[in-house]
Every structure is written in C-alpha cells, then in structure tokens.
Amino acid sequence: QVQLVESGGGLVQAGGSLRLSCAASGGISSINTMGWHRQAPGKQRGLVATITKGGSTDYVDSVKGRFTISRDNAKNTVYLQMNSLKPEDTAVYYCAAAPLYGGYHYWGQGTQVTVSS
C-alpha cells in the first residue's frame, strides 16, 4: 500500500510561483511513474506532469516552460515547481502513483492552488 500526501498549495497572484510537494510512503518499490493532476470546478481531471523511475519527464502543453517536475529520492518526495502562474491554473492538484504496466492506483488528498488575476 502506498500513501501520498501533497502540500504547498495556496493563494498566489498571477505571475507568481508555488512549489507543490508529494511525499510517498508504504510500498513505494512498486511505483514506476508519479504524476501530478489537476481538476478545476466544473472540469474534468487532467494530467499535468509525470516523472518516471528512470527520470524521464513529460508535461501537458499548457504548462511547458512554466512548470517543472522533479524528485528527491532520499526523501521519497516529488515536487512540482510552478512559475508564471495564470488564473487558469487554479485547481485542486493531486499527485498519483502508477506501476510500470498499470494505471494510477494511489492518490493523494489534493491541495488547492488558487491564482488571482
């Protein structure tokens, strides 16, 4: 069993920055991919950024050049550095964990990010 806990959300003005953290515990050896997702009110949840056990990263086009996903293996923690934030980035952000050949089985509780104009 994997447990994920997000932190770092909050209220920020447009153009500002936030860094989200996702601390993993439990059966983390089964994890191949960590992904950050977000869901805004009235919209479907979407994938924002991923990082694999091998260190490969990927981003949705709308955040490329602004967001950076990274990891600290010693702390079992994944980060999402968000710069040049826009009001449309406002959402609940979730981290999730997936094995090599499966979907995202484990999810955190989410952290609210609000970007004011």
Side-chain angles (χ1 to χ4, degrees):
Q1 188 69 217
V2 174
Q3 293 81 46
L4 304 173
V5 179
E6 303 102 329
S7 62
L11 175 64
V12 65
Q13 294 185 155
S17 298
L18 285 172
R19 188 177 75 158
L20 306 183
S21 299
C22 177
S25 61
I28 58 177
S29 63
S30 65
I31 299 172
N32 182 72
T33 304
M34 295 293 299
W36 283 99
H37 307 72
R38 65 186 180 186
Q39 186 168 26
K43 298 181 180 179
Q44 293 185 324
R45 172 172 45 79
L47 186 63
V48 176
T50 62
I51 186 166
T52 69
K53 184 176 292 185
S56 298
T57 60
D58 204 0
Y59 303 89
V60 67
D61 285 344
S62 60
V63 308
K64 287 181 178 177
R66 300 189 297 121
F67 291 10
T68 303
I69 188 170
S70 62
R71 67 187 185 190
D72 185 335
N73 291 335
K75 296 181 178 180
N76 294 321
T77 300
V78 175
Y79 303 96
L80 186 67
Q81 178 67 46
M82 305 185 294
N83 298 327
S84 302
L85 283 162
K86 304 175 181 179
E88 50 262 47
D89 295 318
T90 295
V92 177
Y93 284 71
Y94 301 88
C95 66
L100 181 61
Y101 295 112
Y104 289 97
H105 296 302
Y106 306 104
W107 293 80
Q109 82 286 352
T111 186
Q112 176 71 48
V113 172
T114 302
V115 184
S116 62
S117 60

